[in-house]
Amino acid sequence: MPGAGIDEILLNISPGGQLALGLVLALIMYGVALDLRVGDFVDVFKRPLAPLSGLVAQLLFLPAVTWAITMLLQPRPSIALGMMVVAACPGGNISNLITHMARGNTALSVSMTGISSLLATITTPLNILFWAGLNPATAALLRQVSVEPISFIGSTLLLLGVPMVAGLLTVRHLPKLADRLRRPLQILSFVFLIGFILAATVTNWRYIGVFTTAVLPFVVLHNAIAVALGWGVAKVLGLSDYDTRALTIEVSMHNSGLGLALILTQFDGLGGAALVAAGWGVWHLVSGWALAAWWKRRDPHPARTEGAA
């Protein structure tokens, strides 16, 4: 069976490396908070259907569907755990760019990214523990790596919540400083994260064969289901094409860098799970760009003929 030994692969990181990764993650979340505006949240209450339905699809439906996939297809436990971790992560800022390219509702994408990132301090650890606990294979894996629920929730709150609060306070009390820091921090955190992923890939290149045969098919399938889920929810609710594009992209593009960092720092660097998160980080860019290119050619200006729902 392909990937039969993947659950035994551990991507070892020194304590210094874990500390550095934690600081990079904190920097990323601080940068995300600097992008949040009161207007993003006001828009949700003005036109709640699209953003709230998207957040429900992203934060509730996708983790549940992911659990169902793992129960039905029964991938190796570490692969299943990686899928659950990615599904529990909030949207990433790259989704805003992809939505803009797709001529979708960028404001809707930005508001969903901001709110899901804020909620992630609670929803991410709870979704991981809840759904992984319902799958016997991943529940056993959590016990194997000695994940204590209270400790995991507390450390995740610390890792995500403190920089988010610091960023929000900076925006509120030091707006000029926030404006100066916003763009440099986004670039710096992105460069750090890409550099870390590349370094981890080079260091663990011997596992590329395992990734191609045992992990990549699940990453592609999982992402395709996320795309279908976002699009399906939008269509069932009768949202405009303008909003549908944003919602579909937002539900299918997750902050997999956050997922990778959590796996490496909280789950003993489980190889299968880490490969899923890293693979998703690359693949969702491919699928997102392809989707944006197709939509752009199909109808370059949906906002001209359709109002937002």
Side-chain angles (χ1 to χ4, degrees):
M1 181 178 180
I6 198 169
D7 295 332
E8 284 70 50
I9 296 175
L10 296 178
L11 305 184
N12 295 317
I13 301 179
S14 66
Q18 290 192 16
L19 177 61
L21 182 57
L23 291 175
V24 170
L25 180 57
L27 188 67
I28 291 173
M29 299 310 293
Y30 180 74
V32 168
L34 292 181
D35 252 348
L36 298 182
R37 291 291 181 272
V38 173
D40 297 337
F41 301 92
V42 171
D43 287 343
V44 172
F45 291 103
K46 284 183 177 178
R47 298 188 305 108
L49 181 61
L52 291 183
S53 60
L55 289 168
V56 168
Q58 185 180 52
L59 302 178
L60 296 180
F61 291 171
L62 184 59
V65 170
T66 300
W67 168 81
I69 296 170
T70 64
M71 295 298 293
L72 179 65
L73 301 182
Q74 297 190 359
R76 301 300 304 177
S78 63
I79 295 175
L81 181 61
M83 294 168 65
M84 292 176 182
V85 170
V86 169
C89 288
N93 288 338
I94 192 67
S95 63
N96 308 151
L97 173 62
I98 298 296
T99 298
H100 177 72
M101 289 177 53
R103 301 293 191 266
N105 189 342
T106 306
L108 171 59
S109 176
V110 169
S111 65
M112 283 184 59
T113 298
I115 294 174
S116 67
S117 297
L118 194 61
L119 294 176
T121 56
I122 300 295
T123 60
T124 293
L126 290 182
N127 267 325
I128 293 172
L129 292 174
F130 179 75
W131 294 109
L134 290 184
N135 182 322
T138 52
L141 197 57
L142 291 180
R143 291 192 295 270
Q144 178 182 322
V145 297
S146 302
V147 174
E148 295 293 336
I150 301 300
S151 174
F152 175 62
I153 292 173
S155 60
T156 305
L157 278 171
L158 184 66
L159 198 62
L160 305 184
V162 170
M164 286 290 289
V165 170
L168 291 171
L169 290 175
T170 303
V171 171
R172 175 68 177 84
H173 297 289
L174 300 169
K176 292 183 178 179
L177 177 62
D179 289 338
R180 288 199 296 269
L181 290 177
R182 186 174 297 110
R183 187 61 178 166
L185 278 182
Q186 288 177 346
I187 296 173
L188 190 62
S189 61
F190 180 76
V191 169
F192 279 164
L193 187 58
I194 293 299
F196 181 82
I197 291 175
L198 288 176
T201 301
V202 171
T203 303
N204 298 280
W205 186 254
R206 61 188 181 277
Y207 300 130
I208 190 65
V210 174
F211 169 78
T212 303
T213 58
V215 176
L216 185 57
F218 285 104
V219 169
V220 173
L221 174 65
H222 192 201
N223 181 250
I225 289 173
V227 170
L229 177 64
W231 181 86
V233 166
K235 288 303 180 184
V236 166
L237 294 175
L239 300 183
S240 69
D241 192 38
Y242 189 50
D243 284 349
T244 295
R245 297 181 185 199
L247 197 148
T248 301
I249 291 170
E250 195 67 27
V251 172
S252 62
M253 299 193 75
H254 287 237
N255 190 343
S256 54
L258 166 62
L260 180 61
L262 289 177
I263 290 164
L264 295 174
T265 57
Q266 306 291 321
F267 296 99
D268 292 351
L270 282 169
L275 290 173
V276 168
W280 181 286
V282 175
W283 180 255
H284 79 168
L285 294 178
V286 175
S287 65
W289 281 84
L291 191 58
W294 182 80
W295 259 325
K296 186 176 180 179
R297 286 195 300 268
R298 177 173 174 264
D299 184 359
H301 302 288
R304 292 182 181 175
T305 56
E306 293 185 82

